[in-house]
Amino acid sequence: RNDILNGDFPPGERLIELQLTDRYGVGRAAIRSAIVELSAEGLVVHETNRGAAVRRVPIEEAIEIAEARQVLESLLARRAADRATDDQRQELSQVVADMRAAVSANRQADYSELNRVLHRRIREISGHSTASELVANLRNRGAHHQCRLATMPGRSTDSLPQHAAIVEALVVGDGDAAAEAMHEHLGSVQDVLRSWVEQPRT
């Protein structure tokens, strides 16, 4: 799963059991079990006469994923604003400070990782296990587009104030404002994805 999400196995790449057993040092039964689980998560697909491959997620589906995340993560942000401890609020503020530093230094990979950390910590702080699990699965399914989005020139400059607004609301315990800021942030993600439908990458 981690290697798929990190791009070591890009969308469309075949997952050949013998090669995977050598790579991970496990038996074919373990590989088959893992492929079944990853298929259930929407990361792998079985292709006729080709076996398993990393699933390609069309832009249209990526938009639907962002729409679902918008609802769920707004809920999580609201809950996190109510439940966060002082130490957790300080932690989230530090993540945003690190994001600002990454943008200033044009460290896109660092910013992308901090983006993942921030959303993950908000999920964890919320304490809403059901919504958190659903969001984690959705983010994994859209990981390829998420990576492309995070490394798009100028995107970090646009999304930084959106993330800052989310955390500022969380820090003061304003659940309504945190939910609204998260809603606006994921709305902007949808806007970018929709622009890719209109102007597909060549």
Side-chain angles (χ1 to χ4, degrees), residues 5-182:
L5 298 179
N6 291 334
D8 293 345
F9 296 105
E13 180 163 334
R14 292 181 61 201
L15 300 174
I16 301 171
E17 287 184 8
L18 186 58
Q19 294 177 357
L20 296 175
T21 59
D22 291 340
R23 180 184 180 108
Y24 297 110
V26 297
R28 296 184 74 167
I31 294 298
R32 289 170 182 164
S33 177
I35 288 175
V36 168
E37 184 172 343
L38 294 172
S39 297
E41 294 177 13
L43 296 178
V44 169
V45 64
H46 285 274
E47 300 179 338
T48 304
N49 300 324
R50 293 198 56 177
V54 178
R55 185 168 176 264
R56 300 179 190 272
V57 176
I59 289 289
E60 292 78 9
E61 183 177 340
I63 293 170
E64 292 182 355
I65 288 171
E67 290 172 339
R69 284 182 53 201
Q70 186 177 45
V71 176
L72 292 168
E73 292 199 56
S74 295
L75 166 66
L76 295 174
R78 186 188 304 276
R79 287 282 294 265
D82 294 336
R83 298 170 63 96
T85 65
D86 289 342
D87 286 347
Q88 289 169 337
R89 297 178 202 277
Q90 184 175 354
E91 175 193 356
L92 294 176
S93 296
Q94 184 58 54
V95 173
V96 171
D98 292 342
M99 293 173 89
R100 286 198 179 96
V103 170
S104 295
N106 196 29
R107 300 195 311 267
Q108 290 185 329
D110 290 346
Y111 183 86
S112 179
E113 176 59 26
L114 289 164
N115 179 15
R116 286 193 291 270
V117 169
L118 181 63
H119 283 268
R120 175 176 55 80
R121 288 299 291 136
I122 291 172
R123 295 200 305 270
E124 293 169 349
I125 292 168
S126 76
H128 197 304
S129 58
T130 299
S132 296
E133 182 178 345
L134 291 169
V135 169
N137 179 269
L138 289 168
R139 283 183 65 89
N140 284 353
R141 284 175 58 185
H144 174 69
H145 295 295
Q146 186 75 25
C147 180
R148 179 184 167 195
L149 181 69
T151 57
M152 188 177 78
R155 176 59 190 170
S156 58
T157 302
D158 292 338
S159 67
L160 176 59
Q162 298 168 6
H163 288 115
I166 296 166
V167 171
E168 286 166 7
L170 283 166
V171 167
V172 300
D174 189 335
D176 289 343
E180 180 61 27
M182 182 67 80

